[in-house]
Amino acid sequence: MAAELVRGQNHPLSRNRIEIRISADAPVVAGATLADESGRVRGADGVAHPGAPTLPGIEVSRQAAAEHRLAVDLDAMPETVHRVSVLIALPAAPGGPLRFGALAAPRAAVTGLDGTEVAGYTLVGLDAESAVVALELYRRQAAWKIRAVGQGYAGGLASLLTDQGLPQAAELARGIEEAVARGLARSIPAHAADTDRSRRTAAPVTGPDPQGTTSVAGSPHVVQASGGPGGLPGSVGSGVPAAAVPTGGPVDYTHPRRRQASGPTAPEAPAPADGPAPPVAGDAVGWSMDERLYNQVWGMFEDLARSIAACRSALDFAESRMEKELDQLLADPRSRMGSAGDAAREAAQARQAQLADQARAALDRDLAQLTAESEVVEPALPPAYARWDNPVWHGYRVPAEPPMAVRLGDLHLPESDPLRIPMLVRLPLERGLWIDSGVPDASPYEEAGELRHLALQAAVALAARLLAVHPAGEFGVQVIDPAGAGASVLAPLTGAGALDAPPATGAAGVAGTLGRLTERVDLVQMAMRGGASDALPPGLDTSRQLLIVNDFPHGFDDRAVNQLRCLADEGPDVGVHLLLVADREDAAAYGPLLDPLWRSLMRLTPVPNDHLADPWVGHAWTYEPCLVPPGSQVLQQVLTQVAAARTKRM
């Protein structure tokens, strides 16, 4: 649960790669200072600001915006840096606010790369201040902590920088204001977020990533809707760029200094003679191309969610406005009848139709832009993010490193058809997965057996993907199939030799597999708690494991059910992940005993189903699994390479 800080309060920081999100009611400048152990900033090269947005371990926006995402990698901070102060300031814009007291209180939040908030701080009590130190990250006994600061300065940036011991603070403050002025035309008003596409909070910047390649960075990634039995996974992503482009115009995909960038991660995108430049794959912040694509995909998700929410809201408003006008018309006996009443009714209906047409036109424009972006992004996705029909699989090679995320399927809304947004979740999986083989309402699949077959196919495709995107020997798959009913569907895994052992069948096979995995969970947990990871028994396989359980709860006794619950609850922390293929109705005899099990798993379906709830805007997203195209041999080819690499490593 995220901590809501008050001024002066600190909070431990358990991760070193984070985002700092700033939100305000008007465009603000965001920056950071890097100070030594005494809290002094030694020079201008210790300040990240719009004119110099990238420093070792931190990247800020190049322009003023209503919302910011600052990317921070504390592991990359120089050893001399002991304090990182996050500052915000009001730009000197004509007609803009001169003090924070004229605005609603801004907010700063520290989140993980998946969007999960660690701590937040609302900067209340500001008045005449035009610059403020919002948060502070500081080292304490080799660990990093967060402190809510909220120290404001009526003298603006110059006073703030002077207070941090910076030489020539006034000169640097003028340089920052000049850099902001150059980009102020691109700044984004907060109130536009309801009416147009809104992923790009700040203009992208160009700078080196830790690998030394050229990085094209834009707005950071998106927040994932909260988890739960019917919710989107909480680990994906979570952070969304939340500011909007000016109302009424198309999104400008032009990136500052793109033509000065070079290298494979910063391709040149020539702009047409009129209109914006085309979308570009990797148009998001990140330390690697995979991370930028991940952030871009979830940015597209948030854009689609916001655009459709705005359209639905506008349509509801148009309808309610017409009903209100008609009610007022009927309330006056003098205007109910006759030509005047008819004319008033027609005028109300015409206004409703005009508002509805405007809303649909805005949505059509946004969908066209997102579709164009999807057509660029999909072919550029790496295997972990790509559909099985993507040509990238034909050049598949066993990777040397695991990816940061994996694709579980596609998401879409009724208004967005046929546009699909990849559903990416972070690795390692923080929750088990449940592929529901029950027959949903209004399903074309009347036979339960047909849906069970499809559910196991989806499980095999997902297991094959997880095997394929991990280095050889670092991820294994085990299967429990008590009655052997899934032998034909499991053939790609068994035939290629991709499983750690043949599928376990019968009561003895179920007990043996669950016993070995629960023993491993217990041993690793004890070693971790005791700080003695080197004391594990020799020969214990510590690679990550995926356990596929087919046709649950058939073949399970009470002991096996308890062991399965233990794996679901404790396994992910020590590298044991559960993939359950089951119909909840089959386990009805257990009553509420299994309710915690179902709640702990992320529910997926083998057929399109609108069961994924989005509490952010109230949408019910339709999920579609990533299945191998009929007749395709890509799965067999990939698994053959995986098995060969495993054999070679042994």
Side-chain angles (χ1 to χ4, degrees), residues 104-117:
R107 190 170 191 276
V110 177
T111 75
L113 295 183
D114 57 4
T116 304
E117 184 169 315

Side-chain angles (χ1 to χ4, degrees), residues 610-628:
D610 61 349
H611 69 281
L612 289 179
D614 182 356
W616 183 57
V617 288
H619 295 330
W621 290 83
T622 296
Y623 165 82
E624 293 183 11
C626 271
L627 299 176
V628 180

Side-chain angles (χ1 to χ4, degrees), residues 86-97:
V86 178
L87 59 93
I88 59 175
L90 293 170

Side-chain angles (χ1 to χ4, degrees), residues 23 38 88 176 186 200 212 242 262 286 317 325 346 364 412 436 500 533 543 552 582 650:
S23 56
S38 64
I88 59 175
I176 294 174
R186 298 190 301 270
R200 287 154 183 83
S262 62
F317 170 76
E325 291 177 348
E346 291 175 0
D364 289 343
H412 70 93
D436 190 354
D500 287 0
S533 56
S543 65
F552 176 81
M650 290 178 178

Side-chain angles (χ1 to χ4, degrees), residues 571-598:
D573 289 339
V574 293
V576 177
H577 309 281
L578 183 61
L579 176 54
L580 196 63
V581 181
D583 179 357
R584 189 169 183 173
E585 292 299 319
D586 292 342
Y590 286 92
L593 177 66
L594 289 183
D595 286 352
L597 174 65
W598 305 117

Side-chain angles (χ1 to χ4, degrees), residues 329-349:
L329 179 67
L330 293 174
D332 187 352
R334 294 170 299 178
S335 58
R336 291 180 187 174
M337 309 296 292
S339 58
D342 293 340
R345 276 188 288 273
E346 291 175 0
Q349 292 167 351

